[in-house]
Amino acid sequence: MTQQFEDLRTVASIVNGVETMEGEGFLVRRPFPTHALSEFDPFLLLDEMGPKDYSPGQAKGAPDHPHRGFETVTYMLTGRMEHKDSQGHQGQLRPGDVQWMTAGAGVVHSEMPEREFAREGGRLHGFQLWVNLPRRDKLMTPRYQEIPAEKIPVAQSADGLVKVKVIAGESLGARALIETRTPIIYLHLTLEPGGHVVQPVPREYNAFAYVIDGAGLFGAREAVDGQMVMFAQDGDALEISVPEEAAEPLDVLLIAGLPLNEPVARYGPFVMNTREEIYQALEDYRSGRMGDIAF
Ligand code: MN
């Protein structure tokens, strides 16, 4: 079967991540939200944690804090994190693992370096994406989808020059295990020099790429490590390639989703539709109705 894509998307803009301190004081690179770009509907935030080499005892995390009204998606590349929450849930994230947490009505959780990793030190590198929930799901029962690295579907191009890990959506014939509340594509692509991929992305979706390592061509525009490429909504597929003469492969996240087109009321870890709902979230948190971490 041959699919034809008439319209390849152009690039609307390329933005650099802004260095920001998070949690107990760990550095992230954050392409959004910034003063220039508050959100990219349905996405609320992207943080690149590291890559950073920690000495023994120096790795930092984010102690107990709440979330309501959206999802946090953590994807580890290197290093180990552990988490605990007010639902009595705990687990570890190892290299390549994904945790898709739907905070819904509210959880209080901690995201810390795994104990042994913190003691020994080492390199930490990963991502956290915040995906907004539609109004109908903002107060849903919290849930977790945790996919270990070895269960994430992978595929490659016929010439073997493009590999993809399919975290959400579909690519190169592989389909993700994770179920999303609204249509989302989340891919980790690795293109060797000379590699080329055309990824279908429905015209209505907002789509961006974030370069993890190396450099590549997005349509005709070049972007490098640490840059976010925002595609225009002018096509039903997008094209990524790496010139044959490139010195290294391109590692890139490709993330896209159907915009919610709903009002966003946002205050720290709470993302609702109205200011009144934010006040309610604060009150529910302060009065302990989102629970606490009791173990
Ligand atoms: Mn959190």
Side-chain angles (χ1 to χ4, degrees):
M1 188 178 77
T2 304
Q3 282 179 289
Q4 293 295 325
F5 300 103
E6 305 285 335
D7 298 315
L8 290 172
R9 291 186 181 217
T10 59
V11 170
S13 63
I14 296 178
V15 303
N16 292 301
V18 175
E19 292 196 340
T20 308
M21 294 302 265
E22 258 304 316
E24 299 173 308
F26 60 93
L27 194 66
V28 300
R29 274 199 286 189
R30 178 174 292 170
F32 69 101
T34 62
H35 291 296
L37 179 65
S38 64
E39 64 190 63
F40 196 53
D41 190 9
F43 307 107
L44 300 161
L45 170 147
L46 180 70
D47 276 352
E48 180 177 18
M49 305 177 275
K52 183 169 168 59
D53 293 306
Y54 286 100
S55 319
Q58 293 307 303
K60 305 264 192 304
D64 309 8
H65 60 278
H67 293 290
R68 172 180 279 182
F70 62 100
E71 301 179 293
T72 66
V73 181
T74 309
Y75 177 39
M76 292 303 293
L77 297 178
T78 313
R80 301 193 299 279
M81 300 284 289
E82 65 184 25
H83 55 92
K84 288 184 174 181
D85 80 10
S86 50
Q87 307 274 308
H89 186 92
Q90 67 176 316
Q92 282 189 15
L93 283 169
R94 293 169 168 273
D97 294 352
V98 174
Q99 181 201 62
W100 198 291
M101 182 186 86
T102 306
V107 296
V108 176
H109 76 164
S110 64
E111 299 159 280
M112 301 299 289
E114 185 264 334
R115 195 168 307 188
E116 191 183 323
F117 173 80
R119 194 171 56 231
E120 292 175 357
R123 173 164 285 209
L124 188 78
H125 193 193
F127 288 90
Q128 189 166 90
L129 175 72
W130 290 10
V131 180
N132 204 1
L133 285 167
R135 187 191 296 271
R136 65 176 182 275
D137 288 337
K138 282 197 176 289
L139 296 179
M140 67 181 277
T141 303
R143 74 166 183 181
Y144 286 84
Q145 298 177 81
E146 284 176 305
I147 315 290
E150 62 273 16
K151 290 204 170 153
I152 293 178
V154 296
Q156 61 180 353
S157 58
D159 63 7
L161 295 177
V162 180
K163 294 198 172 86
V164 62
K165 297 183 184 184
V166 185
I167 296 167
E170 270 185 79
S171 184
L172 298 177
R175 177 187 275 273
L177 297 176
I178 283 169
E179 188 215 20
T180 62
R181 303 302 300 182
T182 57
I184 304 285
I185 294 168
Y186 188 153
L187 310 174
H188 176 180
L189 291 150
T190 305
L191 284 75
E192 298 298 328
H196 170 265
V197 66
V198 173
Q199 170 67 37
V201 175
R203 191 174 291 266
E204 314 78 55
Y205 288 22
N206 278 325
F208 71 93
Y210 184 84
V211 180
I212 304 172
D213 205 14
L217 289 171
F218 300 81
R221 299 276 301 274
E222 193 195 38
V224 302
D225 180 4
Q227 291 189 314
M228 172 185 177
V229 178
M230 298 167 68
F231 290 95
Q233 258 184 339
D234 59 356
D236 55 13
L238 48 87
E239 184 178 33
I240 304 177
S241 61
V242 176
E244 260 176 61
E245 62 276 18
E248 55 176 342
L250 167 71
D251 244 325
V252 63
L253 300 180
L254 176 57
I255 296 172
L258 187 65
L260 303 179
N261 293 314
E262 292 180 352
V264 174
R266 178 171 189 164
Y267 183 78
F270 308 121
V271 184
M272 304 300 291
N273 299 115
T274 68
R275 196 185 296 191
E276 289 66 34
E277 290 164 350
I278 291 293
Y279 294 145
Q280 186 64 52
L282 280 163
E283 194 182 311
D284 288 350
Y285 173 56
R286 287 180 183 142
S287 63
R289 281 193 287 268
M290 291 183 194
D292 56 19
I293 303 175
F295 62 95

